Amino acid sequence: MTLTLAVYGKGGIGKSTTSCNISTALAKRGKKVLQIGCDPKHDSTFTLTGFLIPTIIDTLQEKDFHYEDIWPEDVIYKGYAGVDCVEAGGPPAGAGCGGYVVGETVKLLKELNAFDEYDVILFDVLGDVVCGGFAAPLNYADYCLIVTDNGFDALFAANRIAASVREKARTHPLRLAGLIGNRTSKRDLIDKYVEAVPMPVLEILPLIEDIRVSRVKGKTLFEMTESDPSLDYVCNYYLNIADQLLAMPEGVIPNDAQDRELFTLLSDFYLNPQAPKQTEEDELDLMMV
Ligand code: SF4
């Protein structure tokens, strides 16, 4: 059985880097993995391949949309650790529908019988606008994962994604596996959100400069670790996520917060920061005074 994952998150949150490292972690666990970039920026798989691979939509246009003239090697590229990579691409700027592109990508890969070969298929999807188009990968996914940081905008986007999962779960066997905190030295706002909208937190990655560098270098952390073993601890975050997913977690159908309620919750956090809790030691200090 193929495990199908859809990774969503606000643009610029580190979703593609996270996706590439999760794909690699799954490959390191012996799985045959296909990562499908569904961001019109078409750089989802750059960290795996080290270059911008041609997109499905470009290839289809070149072949005048004759699916029968396209071979798997025209659109599927081998990345690090044997992860296969596909970029859906996007419609022409200002025209067309991103969701249509995702639909055509899935249609082509199915015609190529490409889906049946993999243990894991991971869609990496833009999560700023979870319209019907960009929600399309949820139709094929067993689990949705949301990448966020500890900030207002990313959590607002996360809540919209959670709402899309709830909607799709009415008709599809889809679950939210959980949140992945990225660049998160503090997680207080994430905790506050999860208190209001209960969902698992799969992992919290602190702010690690090497992750940002890996993106620019076009290398996963696993590849960088080959020459710098001190980065091994970073890989363990991704291996931990991979292990949780391979264990087929129960996941949740989230009850997203209403926009107004969430706005109040998150803005209250900024406007009325709570005083840090006193520790027992602090209390004793006060008593001594
Ligand atoms: S469905 Fe989404 S991707 Fe398609 S045109 Fe509308 S907003 Fe754009």
Side-chain angles (χ1 to χ4, degrees), residues 38 40 88-91 96-106 125 131-137 140:
C38 300
C97 167
Y100 164 80
V101 173
V102 174
E104 289 300 295
T105 298
V106 171
V125 200
C131 57
F134 283 114
Y140 311 99

Side-chain angles (χ1 to χ4, degrees), residues 150-153 189 192 264-273:
N150 194 47
F152 185 104
D153 292 336
L189 198 51
K192 204 169 165 73
T264 309
L265 178 93
L266 299 183
S267 49
D268 184 53
F269 178 85
Y270 283 105
L271 296 174
N272 303 305

Side-chain angles (χ1 to χ4, degrees), residues 83-235:
V83 175
D84 279 344
C85 302
V86 164
E87 288 288 347
C97 167
Y100 164 80
V101 173
V102 174
E104 289 300 295
T105 298
V106 171
K107 188 170 147 197
L108 175 66
L109 291 172
K110 282 192 166 166
E111 296 225 347
L112 295 173
N113 288 324
F115 271 16
D116 304 329
E117 292 180 26
Y118 296 95
D119 300 313
V120 183
I121 295 176
L122 183 151
F123 290 91
D124 171 17
V125 200
L126 189 74
D128 294 76
V129 186
V130 201
C131 57
F134 283 114
L138 295 175
N139 296 340
Y140 311 99
D142 300 301
Y143 295 111
C144 172
L145 295 99
I146 304 177
V147 183
T148 183
D149 63 13
N150 194 47
F152 185 104
D153 292 336
L155 283 167
F156 217 86
N159 193 55
R160 300 307 294 258
I161 298 161
S164 309
V165 172
R166 181 176 42 74
E167 199 50 42
K168 289 283 179 187
R170 291 182 205 276
T171 48
H172 295 81
L174 168 72
R175 292 290 179 274
L176 175 62
L179 285 182
I180 298 170
N182 195 34
R183 299 184 205 133
T184 305
S185 42
K186 279 168 62 184
R187 56 177 284 177
D188 39 8
L189 198 51
I190 291 178
D191 288 341
K192 204 169 165 73
Y193 175 66
V194 169
E195 217 174 89
V197 183
M199 62 180 67
V201 177
L202 298 177
E203 188 56 279
I204 296 280
L205 283 98
L207 187 63
I208 300 171
E209 179 60 10
D210 288 297
I211 297 180
R212 201 186 58 78
V213 170
S214 80
R215 172 83 177 141
V216 185
K217 281 189 171 173
K219 289 184 174 173
T220 63
L221 264 299
F222 292 85
E223 191 171 0
M224 284 171 64
T225 302
E226 287 173 8
S227 54
D228 182 359
S230 73
L231 295 174
D232 207 34
Y233 80 99
V234 190
C235 300

